[in-house]
Structures are given as C-alpha cells and as structure tokens.
Amino acid sequence: MDIFQNAKKLGFGLMRLPLTDPNDGGSIDLEQTKQMVDAFLGRGFTYFDTAWMYCAFQSENAVKTCLTSRHPRDSFTLADKLHAGFIHSLEDRDTIFSTQLEKTGAGYFDYYLLHDMGVEHYEIYKKFDCFTWLADKKARGLVRHMGFSFHDNAEVLDKILTEHPEVEFVQLQINYLDWDSEGVQSRQCYEVAVKHGKPVIVMEPVKGGTLAKVPAGVEKLFKEYAPEASVPSWAIRFAASLSNVKMVLSGMSNMAQLLDNTGFMQDVQPLCAEEENRIRQAVSLINSSIAIPCTGCAYCTGGCPRHIAIPQYFSLYNADLQEVEGKSWKPQGEYYDNLTNTYGKASDCIGCGQCEGVCPQHLPIIENLKQVARHFEI
C-alpha cells in the first residue's frame, strides 16, 4: 500500500515561512503564505508539514489561516508532530494533540510523527507509552499514518524499527553533504529504513540553506552542466532520486523558492550518471576546506579509555562549521548530544595520547577534541 497516495514528491515544510519581522520567528506574513499555499496546490502538490514549536509556536495557526480554512480537506495532506521535550505526563500527550487539532483546524492528521527521535527521546516516548497512544489515535481515525522523525545513528534507528514494526514511515535528514557523514550517517540510516521496508520522508535536503549557498567552485561545476538549474535543485533532486524516498520537504521562505522548487519537481527526473559525478565532485570541493581532515577510519576509538566517538564528533564539528550564517537552529549539536548518551563527551578526553599514536593522518586529536568540546558543550 502506498501511504503517500502517489503524491508528487515535494512537501511544503512550514518551518521557515516568510516573516514580517526577521527578528520575530512568529511574525508570519500570512498574506504571502496564502499565496504560496495556493500556488503549491495549484501546481498539483499536496503535502504540508508543520509541528508544535515551528515559527515560535505559530506555524499551526498559519495552517488554519492559510490552508484548512481556505481549501477542501481532501485537496491536501497534513503532517504534524509530538515532541518529547513538551510531554511530562500522560495527560500532556492529549492536551497537545487536541490543541494541535484546534490550532490547525484539520479535523485529523494524515501523518503524525513522534518528533526528533534519538536515544534520549526514545526513552521519553517509551516512558509515556507514546507508540501505543499514537496507534490508538490511528485506530480512532484521528491519524491516518504514524511515523517518527529521527536525529541519531543507524544502530539506534535499527533498534527502534525492530522494536516498533507498527511504525509506517520514518523522516530522515538526507542530503548530498551528509550522505557519507560519520556523524549524521544519512546513507546508513536510509539503508536501515530500506531493510525494514519503511518509506522515507526527507528533511533538510538543502541543510537549511547551506546547499543553496555553495562555494563558487561548486556553483560553477553545476552551472557548467545545467545553466538554468538552480543550485538548490541539485540538492533536492539528489534526495528525490533515492528509490525509497516518497517525499522531500523543503522549507520555502518566499514565492521565488516555491516556484523554483515546484518547477523542477513537477516531473522530477532521477540524477543521471554525470549529475551524480558532479555531486561527488561538489562534496569533495566543499570538504576540502574542512577544519579537521579526519577520514573516519576509527583506528583511534578502539583503545580509547573514555569511549569517545572521535570520528563522529569531528564529522559533526566540520559539518557545523560549513553551515550558512544566521540559521536559528542547526542539527549537528543535537546529533552530538545524542551520541554523548552512548559515548564519552569530547571533554572527557584525558589526554592519554593512544589515539594520536595510531592515527594514519597524524592529527592532533587531543587538541581537536578540545575544539569540539568548546563548540558543542558550551
């Protein structure tokens, strides 16, 4: 059964909506958002994605103002989410859910996710029996399909999907820069989802704008091959080309972005061999300027007395430094925090030096771990 009803693969992520005041995340420009919603639906796209805390808790209100009160309920599908950080009792689950139904005016949710799943949040969702709770919402027709979004490593994802086969889909961070990342593990997580037969929704295909503003050499590489194609289109099509990906979310902030995305995703074509080759070159160019040139061989971890996930931490540190300036939220810090629930923190390093003795790249690992600690543990 296709739970995405053969919908076009582009979803409208309602997290980065146009604002009337750039310093106020809740000041959504409702008139511009209405125009964007209308254009999105007018071009045949149907999937909208919101969450409790998006746009300073105003995104769900905008759904009602711009979408559900203006368009027939069967003309679109809507995803919403429950976040572990806001539930402290069994009652909180229903309080939030009923408020979400009221705020959005949706009547029911086509897709509902346990949001931001990882080692720590998984324990909270189990403590408050959220998987059973969500399955009950589905049985009562208040939710059509249940899933979760995920920010952790592939081993954790495999464990959760093994323990909860009732989950129907997963939402993963996938983009060409994170595809082979030791920290984010996009490829490995995607492969786990495939193994469990779970369709994938992609979040952060452009890394919150990072892959829309690439180095000049990368832009030249893309424009030489396809002068008319936008830089972000390469990132979104990379994710959409994966066979088990059913939806790619894009947090569109203005009409120009929406028209561009809906244009090339109207009849999206998988990447050809030459395009894949250029993306590999782009990744090499971007990574050539990384702060810590770790290759991820993991020789350093075997004898570490503090069990520090050194390659993963270096990968996340490099990725965080590559982000565009001014982003209000970056995922790498969360991946770091999740890893520290299983491994030692960077600051736990005792400076024994065994890692440096086996590093093929002869990296100053002890000093680099201090940089990572200063960056993520402040």
Side-chain angles (χ1 to χ4, degrees):
M1 180 180 69
D2 179 12
I3 69 171
F4 294 95
Q5 306 165 0
N6 294 310
K8 291 181 182 293
K9 271 193 173 184
L10 180 68
F12 194 161
L14 304 173
M15 183 172 71
R16 299 184 177 95
L17 293 173
L19 304 175
T20 58
D21 179 357
N23 297 313
D24 178 4
S27 65
I28 298 170
D29 185 334
L30 295 173
E31 292 309 310
Q32 186 176 170
T33 301
K34 287 178 184 178
Q35 295 172 17
M36 293 170 67
V37 165
D38 294 352
F40 189 75
L41 289 169
R43 290 190 166 200
F45 297 87
T46 56
Y47 189 98
F48 294 84
D49 172 272
T50 188
W52 181 249
M53 74 295 294
Y54 287 177
C55 297
F57 299 89
Q58 295 303 307
S59 176
E60 291 166 331
N61 295 326
V63 168
K64 187 172 187 176
T65 302
C66 303
L67 177 64
T68 63
S69 66
R70 301 174 60 250
H71 294 277
R73 185 61 182 88
D74 61 359
S75 67
F76 61 87
T77 57
L78 180 64
D80 210 334
K81 311 177 186 77
L82 178 74
H83 193 287
F86 298 97
I87 51 174
H88 307 288
S89 68
L90 295 175
E91 292 74 23
D92 285 344
R93 304 169 307 173
D94 284 310
T95 298
I96 291 173
F97 188 86
S98 61
T99 304
Q100 289 175 314
L101 284 176
E102 180 181 353
K103 289 175 70 177
T104 61
Y108 63 90
F109 296 114
D110 301 274
Y111 307 93
Y112 198 84
L113 299 85
L114 300 179
H115 195 26
D116 196 12
M117 189 74 70
V119 171
E120 185 175 2
H121 286 173
Y122 184 42
E123 294 305 314
I124 295 173
Y125 289 128
K126 288 193 297 182
K127 176 182 178 181
F128 294 112
D129 199 20
C130 290
F131 288 90
T132 302
W133 170 84
L134 185 50
D136 178 66
K137 290 286 185 283
K138 180 184 174 186
R140 293 166 56 196
L142 295 172
V143 168
R144 298 289 172 85
H145 302 289
M146 57 185 287
F148 62 81
S149 62
F150 186 77
H151 284 292
D152 212 318
N153 64 56
E155 183 178 355
V156 173
L157 180 60
D158 190 45
K159 171 182 169 66
I160 296 171
L161 289 178
T162 299
E163 295 177 356
H164 291 282
E166 72 274 21
V167 168
E168 296 173 89
F169 65 94
V170 292
Q171 185 165 305
L172 303 174
Q173 176 169 321
I174 294 178
N175 56 71
Y176 64 72
L177 197 58
D178 289 330
W179 186 238
D180 289 312
S181 163
E182 282 293 321
V184 179
Q185 297 188 356
S186 286
R187 180 201 293 269
Q188 294 176 59
C189 287
Y190 173 79
E191 291 171 349
V192 167
V194 171
K195 183 183 83 169
H196 286 272
K198 307 301 181 185
V200 171
I201 299 174
V202 171
M203 57 184 165
E204 301 291 341
V206 194
K207 280 183 74 71
T210 296
L211 299 182
K213 299 177 181 178
V214 295
V218 174
E219 183 170 1
K220 180 174 183 289
L221 185 71
F222 290 158
K223 292 297 184 181
E224 283 176 344
Y225 181 80
E228 302 304 317
S230 67
V231 170
S233 72
W234 287 78
I236 293 174
R237 286 184 58 229
F238 171 86
S241 295
L242 298 167
S243 60
N244 200 45
V245 166
K246 303 303 180 182
M247 190 65 58
V248 181
L249 300 178
S250 178
M252 296 171 279
S253 304
N254 56 55
M255 184 63 81
Q257 292 175 3
L258 186 139
L259 293 177
D260 178 45
N261 288 352
T262 54
F264 65 78
M265 288 294 285
Q266 190 71 239
D267 184 25
V268 63
Q269 299 299 313
L271 297 173
C272 69
E274 176 57 24
E275 289 171 320
E276 291 176 346
N277 179 54
R278 286 181 181 257
I279 282 180
R280 284 192 293 270
Q281 292 179 57
V283 172
S284 295
L285 284 170
I286 295 171
N287 286 338
S288 66
S289 59
I290 61 176
I292 303 176
C294 170
T295 63
C297 71
Y299 292 172
C300 55
T301 60
C304 177
R306 307 297 291 180
H307 304 290
I308 299 171
I310 298 170
Q312 290 97 322
Y313 292 168
F314 289 171
S315 174
L316 292 172
Y317 177 74
N318 288 331
D320 213 52
L321 295 184
Q322 291 167 339
E323 295 274 20
V324 291
E325 295 182 6
K327 286 178 64 176
S328 59
W329 176 81
K330 297 183 289 186
Q332 285 78 219
E334 190 160 336
Y335 279 97
Y336 179 81
D337 290 341
N338 283 332
L339 281 169
T340 62
N341 286 293
T342 304
Y343 303 98
K345 298 180 179 179
S347 60
D348 290 339
C349 174
I350 60 174
C352 68
Q354 76 81 29
C355 53
E356 294 186 357
V358 297
C359 177
Q361 310 303 319
H362 307 292
L363 299 176
I365 294 176
I366 296 170
E367 185 57 38
N368 287 337
L369 284 173
K370 292 178 182 177
Q371 294 179 38
V372 171
R374 287 193 293 268
H375 189 76
F376 286 123
E377 298 180 29
I378 295 175

